[in-house]
Amino acid sequence: MDYIRKLPLLLALSGSIITGLLGRSSQLPDKEILTKMTIAMVVFYLAGLLASKTISDVVEAYRKKEEEKEKAALQEENKEAVSENDSGITGKKLDLAADEEIKFDVMEDDFDALPVAEFIKKELKS
């Protein structure tokens, strides 16, 4: 997209350079060459604006069309999942049950304090 933004300027500059070179090769006076170069710059800049606007509109329309296709595909996938759930086949839903018999005391017994911690406790007491 960066090149599309620069298109008007690139067209204007290239059109002006070509016009200047053609004027020099035909040995026209400098004032006439500059006038023709200015006119060429304006014309090619406007043509570049038109071209870049057209290209960006086409790209934007293509992106919107792709997004709509993705949304339609997701909706179709969701409809299929819902119809599968209605027929008794599990779809994308996951039922989890928590285990109520977890004992947190067991985990605390496995932890051994570092010797540094014991040293600090002894130093603080004395």
Side-chain angles (χ1 to χ4, degrees):
M1 286 307 268
D2 193 38
Y3 293 115
I4 295 173
R5 280 191 346 201
K6 294 178 183 178
L7 187 65
L9 180 63
L10 292 174
L11 281 178
L13 291 176
S14 62
S16 177
I17 289 171
I18 292 171
T19 305
L21 291 175
L22 291 175
R24 276 288 187 199
S25 68
S26 63
Q27 298 178 350
L28 293 174
D30 288 343
K31 204 169 202 175
E32 190 176 333
I33 292 173
L34 289 176
T35 305
K36 288 183 178 184
M37 284 176 68
T38 305
I39 292 170
M41 278 184 96
V42 171
V43 169
F44 279 103
Y45 187 79
L46 293 175
L49 280 176
L50 180 66
S52 67
K53 178 69 173 157
T54 303
I55 292 171
S56 63
D57 287 345
V58 168
V59 168
E60 187 65 30
Y62 179 74
R63 285 183 183 166
K64 284 182 181 179
K65 195 173 192 181
E66 288 296 318
E67 287 177 7
E68 289 174 3
K69 283 182 182 179
E70 286 180 16
K71 286 180 183 178
L74 286 174
Q75 288 176 352
E76 185 67 31
E77 189 176 302
N78 288 340
K79 287 180 183 178
E80 289 175 6
V82 168
S83 64
E84 287 178 1
N85 285 340
D86 291 341
S87 64
I89 301 173
T90 58
K92 294 184 179 181
K93 292 184 180 178
L94 180 62
D95 295 330
L96 297 175
D99 189 11
E100 295 177 6
E101 298 181 16
I102 295 177
K103 296 182 181 178
F104 293 105
D105 299 336
V106 176
M107 295 174 69
E108 291 177 5
D109 293 339
D110 293 340
F111 179 75
D112 293 331
L114 295 173
V116 175
E118 291 177 18
F119 175 77
I120 293 172
K121 286 180 185 177
K122 289 179 184 175
E123 288 296 321
L124 287 177
K125 287 183 182 178
S126 56

